[in-house]
Amino acid sequence: MFDFRQLRYFITVAEELSFTRAAIRLHISQPPLSQQIQALERDLGVTLLERTKRKVALTEPGKVFLEQARLILTQAELARSRTAAVAAGHNGQLRLAYTLSVSFHPALPHTLLRHRQIAPGVDVQLREMNNAPQFAALLANEIDVGFVRTEPRHLQDTRKLRLRLLDREPLMLALPSSHPLAKRDELHMSEVADEAFVTQPREVAATLHEKLTTLASAAGFHPRTVQQARQISGLLALVAAGLGVALVPATMRAVHLAGVSYVPLADPAAQLLLAVASRADDASPVLAQFLSTVDEFARDSGNL
């Protein structure tokens, strides 16, 4: 059966209609070229080229084979390039989940934008999902990677999953702008022990709930929650209305709402982890390329 080299040789001769010019173009001598064309004709059982001392011409079968030979080489090159793209992680699918608060952190949009520039052939499917469901979805192979705000709870899950740290984001207090503490450069949690708190429901922001309870407990009080709102915009609206203060990640400062001021917390534990989780045994080139982009962001932001 003929090979790709013979196809390239035949196409070159057919385009030049000269064995001499074709040999020069292919950087080979003329006798091996003639031998390969003859071998190709024997394999096919047809004459592809009419040869005389004065000229070389395509036969009718030769014209048909020229068209097919070009298609074969084009398809072979397409197969090669697509296979290489998949191997490099530039083609395929990536199922990505993220928690609501991560949507305000620059890590998510910057990483997605950079990854799209590097691997535009990857279909990234996004899902908003809380931390615990993300870990479960990873273990069930329902998603490939997740932006999470906490570590897995169980040792067994920890062994099956890998985490790449992106940030330990400072936590802040969102206060009504009219509040006496709103102009402070920083606050300690103990200074808001008597304040009313507004929060998101636990099922929406479990990690922030735990952080609020932990920080308050360390400061010697139990937080008094008076109102809840599922959406961040609703939460800040409650703060602006003077109904209470809220514990929020520092990136929430990007949300400018009249009547809301943000003050950093000085407590050492007032941080919120941001990491990227994936299955430890997932060797997908698409995932590897995405995690490389994550590492690039972490280095650029000084977290690696």
Side-chain angles (χ1 to χ4, degrees):
M1 179 56 67
F2 56 81
D3 57 32
F4 291 147
R5 181 183 59 172
Q6 290 175 323
L7 293 182
R8 286 192 293 270
Y9 284 4
F10 168 70
I11 291 171
T12 305
V13 174
E15 290 175 347
E16 296 292 340
L17 293 179
S18 165
F19 279 85
T20 301
R21 291 194 299 270
I24 294 172
R25 182 172 152 188
L26 291 165
H27 305 289
I28 62 173
S29 60
Q30 187 172 330
L33 176 59
S34 297
Q35 293 168 7
Q36 289 298 320
I37 298 300
Q38 290 169 2
L40 176 61
E41 290 178 319
R42 284 196 302 271
D43 286 340
L44 294 172
V46 299
T47 299
L48 299 173
L49 297 163
E50 291 288 355
R51 308 161 179 83
T52 67
K53 291 183 178 180
R54 293 185 176 181
K55 68 176 184 177
V56 175
L58 284 166
T59 64
E60 287 304 313
K63 293 176 182 178
V64 172
F65 190 71
L66 175 60
E67 179 183 345
Q68 296 303 312
R70 285 170 170 160
L71 289 174
I72 291 170
L73 289 186
T74 298
Q75 189 62 40
E77 175 57 27
L78 182 62
R80 185 203 65 78
S81 62
R82 286 185 176 177
T83 302
V86 170
H90 294 168
N91 271 345
Q93 181 187 83
L94 185 73
R95 301 166 297 175
L96 185 151
Y98 61 95
T99 65
L100 178 61
S101 68
V102 172
S103 59
F104 294 94
H105 194 287
L108 182 62
H110 286 197
T111 303
L112 288 175
L113 176 61
R114 179 59 179 154
H115 181 257
R116 185 170 183 80
Q117 293 170 340
I118 296 171
V122 174
D123 174 24
V124 179
Q125 299 181 355
L126 298 173
R127 297 172 62 182
E128 185 182 304
M129 190 182 296
N130 290 339
N131 295 302
Q134 278 196 53
F135 294 133
L138 281 167
L139 295 173
N141 196 23
E142 294 171 356
I143 60 172
D144 304 305
V145 63
F147 282 75
V148 295
R149 285 299 202 171
T150 187
E151 298 180 4
R153 297 295 190 192
H154 307 293
L155 181 60
Q156 181 180 3
D157 294 349
T158 303
R159 290 171 177 169
K160 292 180 179 179
L161 298 174
R162 57 188 168 192
L163 259 66
R164 276 171 160 79
L165 176 66
L166 280 180
D167 195 8
R168 293 193 182 276
E169 185 179 358
L171 289 169
M172 310 184 77
L173 285 171
L175 301 97
S177 296
S178 59
H179 196 286
L181 300 176
K183 303 300 182 182
R184 292 275 296 277
D185 292 332
E186 65 178 19
L187 287 169
H188 288 86
M189 199 68 180
S190 58
E191 296 180 83
V192 292
D194 296 327
E195 298 291 335
F197 280 82
V198 294
T199 66
Q200 293 174 278
R202 182 178 294 275
E203 65 270 17
V204 174
T207 304
L208 267 179
H209 259 276
E210 293 174 8
K211 276 291 182 181
L212 175 58
T213 301
T214 301
L215 289 169
S217 178
F221 71 97
H222 182 77
R224 178 170 57 91
T225 300
V226 294
Q227 294 285 344
Q228 290 189 330
R230 297 188 67 86
Q231 300 298 325
I232 292 290
S233 57
L235 183 74
L236 295 178
L238 295 178
V239 173
L243 297 181
V245 302
L247 183 69
V248 297
T251 48
M252 286 302 301
R253 285 179 299 187
V255 181
H256 300 288
L257 186 65
V260 176
S261 296
Y262 301 97
V263 181
L265 276 170
D267 303 62
Q271 296 179 338
L272 191 61
L273 175 144
L274 174 58
V276 170
S278 58
R279 286 182 298 281
D281 62 355
D282 191 340
S284 161
V286 171
L287 176 63
Q289 177 59 68
F290 183 78
L291 294 179
S292 175
T293 308
V294 168
D295 289 343
E296 179 183 321
F297 173 85
R299 285 193 298 270
D300 291 345
S301 59
N303 292 324
L304 274 184

